Each structure stands twice: as structure tokens, then as C-alpha cells.
Amino acid sequence: MDFTSGESDHRQIEENKPLLGEMSAPEGGKMGAVPCRRAMVHFNGMRYKLLQEGDIQVCVIRHPRTFLSKILTSKFLRRWEPHHLTLADNSLTSATPTGYMENSMPYSAIEDVQLLSWENAPKYCLQLTFPGGTVLLQAANSYLRDQWFHSLQWKKKIYKYKKVLSNPNRWEVVLKEIRSLVDMALTSPLQDDSIHQAPLEIVSKLLSENINLTTQEHESIIVAIAPLLENNHPPPDLCEFFCKHCRERPRSMVVIEVFTPVVQRILKHNMDFGKCPRLRLFTQEYILALNELNAGMEVVKKFIHSMHGPTANCPHPRVLPNLVAVCLAAIYSCYEEFINSRDNSPSLKEIRNGCQQQCDRKPNIPLRLLHTNPDLVSQEVTSTESRHKAVIVTSNEIHVEVERNNTVNQKLKANTGNDSEPNLIDCLLISPACSTMSIELSPQAERVLGCYVEILKMLSDYDDWRPALASLLQPIPFPKEALAHETFTKELKYVIQRFAEDPRQEVHSCLLSVRAGKDGWFQLYSPGGVACDDDGELFASMVHILMGSCYKTKKFLLSLAENKLGPCMLLALRGNQTMVEILCLMLEYNIIENNDTQLQIISTLESTDVGKKMYEQLCDRQRELKELQRKGGPTRLTLPSKSTDADLARLLCSGSFGNLENLSLAFTNVTSACAEQLIKLPSLKQLNLWSTQFGDAGLRVLSEHLTALQVLNLCETPVTDAGLLALSSMKSLCSLNMNSTKLSADTYEDLKAKLPNLKEVDVRYTEAW
């Protein structure tokens, strides 16, 4: 049935008239000859989901023109048809376009939607009035009827608002319509994401099609839609509009009063900036706008504190990852033009899928390069008398030649066929022409860089955020150009220092590389690293915290001996106690095999009072160790319950234990610290640590020294997967008790695969059981 015939002029007026004065139809209206009464609409707290489609009974009644047609439209002769109706954006359509619903019903043809309560019949009907008659929709119950009623009302009004706001004439009228649209969305009993998103998308389209608005009109529109933004993210086009306002009017009160709750919601609830890059860009521009205020970074600091909250732990787990994502993107943008000119990689603008025009954001960032004269490149640089020439160039004129030195090339050749990538420091070893290169960004880029590096510093000051921040920064998610920029690495040094000062292993362990073959912050800020700007103070601090944790192992000492022995000896020569201890441990664990190097280390230790004292203690320990390992003494030994680490140390100093094969420390109070004593027992084959406080750190030490151990009892100890995985190097193990530990099924399978001699295993009361 055609619902639009004969009323085209009325529909044209209906589509374009403003909705501000729209009133409901008068009560008591009649439909043909059928007596009815209009039901009063009360929301009474009921909420409904916006319908997109559903099954309903349909009946169409044409306005009676003759006596016969009046009889045929009576309720006794009325015919109902079942239809599956879809509420599209523009019309009401049926999945089976036959009968009454042969043609779709445009919302523009619907004059009114009413709730009807029929006399003498418990039917739940809606009345849709169109120019040629009436459409009745009958639902199964009152709830479905009300749901259809509110959904149709919403679709009809949204369609009208789209028409009205698509052709704006006077902006004062448009602003009133926007306010009316916002009020309608806020008071609607429908609960659906699209209820608040649809008005925002309408306004977003309106702004994108009318770019020549005044600043006052900008702010009026932003204030009008502010209530909808309290619980909804702005759509992409609206984010671009907000970004433009932040850039052009950073000191506007709209930024503080309206944008602040919007950005707070984004940081608290956004799950992936990769899917919504313009939300991140808007957050980035908002923070830069805060930095433009008179108080500058103080305002930004207060904002960061408001996101963390007054308590010791931030209640919103998404805030930190989102803030870090914004900081990383902003820092990358400072070097973006430089990066693109080097490798022609896609820019952030291209990744944003047309988020903004090429010239809309900011001009190319000029970079100042300080490099050697090209005539001297072919000569070997052996002195500081080389003349330097300062040149100002744009980013598209820069070419960086990345080379690796001969040692690295040899390593790569030796590893031919491996999938390992060259590490970051190797990539930063550039040719002599570029080795003295210093990057100077434009003032604008310097402000952006300074702002977001300062935010990273603020984040590192919160104790509860520091573990997650260290984990996020462990892979070094910054471009090589940033790491070669002295200003950046100097400012970021504060964050690395905070990690090095934190006693928690989950924090300072992130100073090391994320995986083998990669470099971490420890390598970058150690002497010889690209970011080191001191005499090794930060390096010593990092080594101290790592040695004080669970990294007092041969592997860690071996890596220091291979790569950082020179800096360690230099710092020890200057009296650094941590480095003196490192050199002593290298001698004690026989890390250094070359006799000349050993003598040089001994000379270094004896050159300072601290080193001389520690070396004398080392000699005493070596003599005691020889006495301890001298053949003789018991083969079995059991310590009394409640014994401590100190008791074990005193016992082992009392005689020779070279024959000790079975040691029981069950039900004692020993901890991982006693591992230093246990590794002195050369013949130990069976060790019982049942119900002690021996943990992961001790297991790591045992796994490197007691490789001949055959029986190990860890029942009811606080060991976890982190420590148990280290046992995979103890190939002689044939009996292992991990009853009542935090063993996982995956770790258990891994241990079984790597310990071929393992025959007896107890994993009761664990996840692997």
C-alpha cells in the first residue's frame, strides 16, 4: 500500500520545519468510526532497548469516504497481517513486502504516533497516522507496545533533525535545535549506545560541512552537546573539531570546563587507541592546551593527579596505559618528519586515515645537524682537531647512514640463519660523519617533547604506577632518532633512575632487555651506551639494585665481564663499593679465566681501601672454602627445626664438609640467602627444603652451581614458576618434590621435557596435579 500518495507538499513542510515547537496531538482523536481513547505516556522508570526490527501485527485503515467503506473499516471486518518490520534510518519496511506493507512507510509520511487502549478488548496497539489513513500495530504485550512506541518516536524525530540540520540557515536557530536534540536524547527512556551517539554524529556532520564558523559559534555548540559527552566518547569528526579548538584557543574556558571530563572519561574507559586514533589525538591536543596556560606544567600535574586519585592506588587500570600511549605518540610526532625522510615509512597522518590535512597540523620540523666536513669522512678520526660545520636543513634533506662496526658484523655473520634482529645499540652505531650528529627540533616540537617527557616523569613518581610503567617502557618504544637526541635521553634519565631506585624486582628487572638479543635501558645508560652522559653513576646504581635482587648469578656476572668489565674496573678504581663487590664476585665465581685480567682486577681492588678490605675478606672466604671442601666430615646432616641462615653459616664454618651428600633443612627458618652457603658443598646430592622460606632467588643460584644435585624437596615452599623454570639446567635431577607449591601445568610440562633423568615427581596440591 502506498503511504505517500497525494501528500507531497505536506511531507516537504514536515521534513523541514523546526522541532522546537512540536507538540503532541490533541487527546481524544478518533480513528474512523472506532471509539478509542489516547493512553497517557508515563515513563515511570521503565527503560527500553532501541528496536531495530521485530514481529508485529499490522492493519491499515483508509479514511472512509462512503458509507460502504465506513462499514468495511469497522473493527468487525478489519484484517490483521503478521509482518517482520525493520526500523531503518529513513522508513519502516517489512521483510515480506506484501499486503499492507507492500511499500515501505517513510518517517516523513508519519504525522503522529500514539498509544491506544481499546475498549472491551485487551489489545496493545499503536496508531500511526499518515495523510491517507491510519496504520495500526498490535504487539503481544504492553511492554513490547511501549518499546515499539518509543523506538518509532525516536527514529521519526532523529530523521527530522537530520533533515532540519542538514540545511542550516540561521545559526541561532540551529543552536536551539541542537539543544532540543540533546534534551531529547537525555530524556529518552530508551537505553542504547546509539541514543547518545546519533545526536553527536549529527552535530559532527554539521560541523564538518560548515567549517567557516566563528569561535563563539564553536564554543556555543560545544557547550550545547557537553551533557551527551559525559557518558559517551565523541565520534572521530567531532574529535577533529575539538582538536582544532584546542590548537586555536588553548586558553578558552571550554577547554577546562567541557573538555576535562571528556578526556578523563577517555583515559578511564578507552580500551584501544589503535581503533580510535582520533581520541588519542584529541587527548594529546588537550594536554598541550593545558600546558599553554599560565601555570603550564603545574596544571598538567594537577590533571595527572586527578586521574590517579587521592588514594595510594589508582582505581582505574586503563588510565596509565592510555596516558603512556598518548605520550609515546606525541614523542614520536616530534621526530616524525625526520623518520619519514630517512626511511619513507608511513607517517602518523597517513596512519590516522585522513584524520587531518597535511598542512593542518604543523609545518615540517626543521632539524639542526652538526656533522663533520664531508672532506674528512674518508679519513680516520684520531683527534679532536676535526673541524665541524653547522648546517640548518629541513627534514626532507636529511640522510642517515646506519652502519655497524666490524665486531657487530662478525657477530651477525656468525649468527647467519638466526632470526634474531640487530640490537638497538648496534643500530645507533653510525658512521663518523653522523657520530657527532646532534638534533635540534623546532621550538614547537621542543615544547611538545618537553611536555610529554615531563608527564613520563610524573607517572614514574607514583609507586603503584611504576611497575606497569616499567613494563610498558621495557621494550624501549621510542624511535632511534629520539635515543640519539641528547635532550630526550637526558630528560628521560630521571625515569630510568626511578626504576633503578625501586626495590621491587618487577620494576628494576625491566631495566634489562625484554628478550635475548635485544638491548634494554641497562645497556643504553651504561658507559659506552648512546644515552650515557655521566661517569657511570646511573650504571652503578642499576648494577647495585640488580645485584641486590635475584641477579647475583653467573650469567649476569658473565655478561658484565664480557661487555662492561672496563667501566666496572674504572668505577671500582674510584671507590664505588658496588663495583668493588662485582669484581670480587667475578674472582670468587671464577668468571675471569685470563690470568693477566685477574691480576689487573686484583690490582684495582688493592688500590682503594674499600677494595683492599673486600679482597681480604674474599681471600679469607676462599681459605674457609678450601677447608670446608676438604675431604672428610659427615655424609648426612640434619639441622634442628627453627634454625636460621646464620645458624647454617656457623655450622659450615666449623669444620670440613667435603663428603656431605645429604642435607636436610626441613622445617627450619632458612631463606634464599642460605643458597650462598649451599653452593660451597661440592659433593651435595640430596637437599631437603620442606616447609622453609626458600624462594625463587635461591633456586636460581642453586641451578647455576649445584648441577650434580639429584634429589630436591621443595614441598610447601614459596617457590613459583619463575624459580622452578631455572631447575631445567640441573640435568642430574632424578627426584623432585613440588607438592603444595605455585607450580603451573605449563611449567611442569616444560620441566619434564628438559629433565631427562627425572623419575620421581610429586606435584600434589598444585595446578599441575
Side-chain angles (χ1 to χ4, degrees), residues 370-389:
L370 184 65
H371 58 76
T372 56
N373 191 315
D375 296 334
L376 300 177
V377 173
S378 59
Q379 301 178 9
E380 183 179 359
V381 180
T382 58
S383 67
T384 60
E385 297 178 356
S386 301
R387 293 181 297 119
H388 295 78
K389 180 180 178 182

Side-chain angles (χ1 to χ4, degrees), residues 361-423:
R361 171 67 183 156
K362 55 178 176 283
N364 287 346
I365 300 175
L367 298 167
R368 182 183 300 272
L369 295 186
L370 184 65
H371 58 76
T372 56
N373 191 315
D375 296 334
L376 300 177
V377 173
S378 59
Q379 301 178 9
E380 183 179 359
V381 180
T382 58
S383 67
T384 60
E385 297 178 356
S386 301
R387 293 181 297 119
H388 295 78
K389 180 180 178 182
V391 183
I392 300 294
V393 295
T394 57
S395 57
N396 56 7
E397 297 172 338
I398 297 173
H399 174 72
V400 177
E401 179 185 0
V402 180
E403 293 183 349
R404 297 172 180 85
N405 58 13
N406 295 333
T407 304
V408 176
N409 283 331
Q410 292 173 1
K411 290 181 179 179
L412 292 178
K413 291 178 181 177
N415 294 329
T416 301
N418 295 340
D419 295 332
S420 60
E421 304 174 15
N423 61 37

Side-chain angles (χ1 to χ4, degrees), residues 49-52 56 85-89 91-93 105-107 110 112-115 125-129 135-137 144-160 184 190:
K49 182 174 178 60
L50 177 64
L51 277 175
Q52 301 296 340
I56 201 166
L85 300 185
T86 300
L87 283 75
D89 292 337
S91 61
L92 186 65
T93 60
M105 178 184 291
Y107 296 134
I110 301 176
D112 194 14
V113 181
Q114 305 173 15
L115 288 174
C125 293
L126 293 176
Q127 172 185 325
L128 278 62
T129 304
V135 176
L136 299 180
L137 302 179
L144 283 176
R145 178 200 63 186
D146 294 345
Q147 190 177 18
W148 274 95
F149 170 74
H150 293 300
S151 298
L152 282 167
Q153 285 273 37
W154 173 261
K155 289 285 187 177
K156 176 176 177 291
K157 290 183 178 180
I158 283 293
Y159 176 77
K160 289 184 178 180
M184 182 189 73
L190 295 172

Side-chain angles (χ1 to χ4, degrees), residues 336-352:
E336 182 180 3
E337 303 295 340
F338 184 28
I339 296 170
N340 294 340
S341 67
R342 173 175 57 82
D343 57 10
N344 295 321
S345 60
S347 65
L348 287 181
K349 298 183 182 69
E350 296 170 348
I351 295 172
R352 291 176 196 136

Side-chain angles (χ1 to χ4, degrees), residues 342 400-405 408 412 421-431 434 437 478-481 483-484 517-519 524 530:
R342 173 175 57 82
V400 177
E401 179 185 0
V402 180
E403 293 183 349
R404 297 172 180 85
N405 58 13
V408 176
L412 292 178
E421 304 174 15
N423 61 37
L424 184 59
I425 292 181
D426 293 339
C427 293
L428 289 170
L429 291 173
I430 55 181
S431 62
C434 300
M437 181 183 68
F478 301 104
K480 295 189 291 292
E481 288 73 12
L483 299 175
K518 297 292 182 181
D519 285 312
L524 260 67
V530 294

Side-chain angles (χ1 to χ4, degrees), residues 392-571:
I392 300 294
V393 295
T394 57
S395 57
N396 56 7
E397 297 172 338
I398 297 173
H399 174 72
V400 177
E401 179 185 0
V402 180
E403 293 183 349
R404 297 172 180 85
N405 58 13
N406 295 333
T407 304
V408 176
N409 283 331
Q410 292 173 1
K411 290 181 179 179
L412 292 178
K413 291 178 181 177
N415 294 329
T416 301
N418 295 340
D419 295 332
S420 60
E421 304 174 15
N423 61 37
L424 184 59
I425 292 181
D426 293 339
C427 293
L428 289 170
L429 291 173
I430 55 181
S431 62
C434 300
S435 60
T436 56
M437 181 183 68
S438 63
I439 302 175
E440 292 186 12
L441 304 179
S442 67
Q444 179 189 8
E446 288 286 357
R447 287 194 296 271
V448 174
L449 182 66
C451 174
Y452 283 99
V453 174
E454 194 66 30
I455 290 177
L456 290 177
K457 293 181 182 179
M458 296 176 191
L459 300 180
S460 67
D461 286 333
Y462 290 94
D463 290 340
D464 60 316
W465 276 352
R466 202 174 299 131
L469 178 63
S471 178
L472 291 170
L473 297 186
Q474 185 180 13
I476 312 184
F478 301 104
K480 295 189 291 292
E481 288 73 12
L483 299 175
H485 189 194
E486 183 180 358
T487 302
F488 173 75
T489 54
K490 187 175 182 180
E491 292 297 323
L492 192 67
K493 183 178 178 180
Y494 176 85
V495 179
I496 307 304
Q497 284 177 328
R498 296 294 288 164
F499 295 163
E501 295 168 357
D502 197 299
R504 291 170 292 185
Q505 180 188 343
E506 57 183 327
V507 177
H508 59 248
S509 63
C510 293
L511 294 170
L512 299 176
S513 59
V514 68
R515 65 179 184 271
K518 297 292 182 181
D519 285 312
W521 296 112
F522 179 77
Q523 285 80 13
L524 260 67
Y525 279 92
S526 61
V530 294
C532 183
D533 62 348
D534 54 24
D535 292 331
E537 289 81 1
L538 179 57
F539 171 69
S541 177
M542 291 189 289
V543 171
H544 175 75
I545 194 69
L546 291 172
M547 290 299 295
S549 181
C550 61
Y551 292 93
K552 202 171 185 178
T553 62
K554 279 187 175 180
K555 184 178 180 181
F556 182 63
L557 291 172
L558 187 60
S559 67
L560 288 178
E562 291 178 351
N563 304 308
K564 302 297 177 184
L565 182 58
C568 289
M569 293 176 65
L570 178 61
L571 291 172

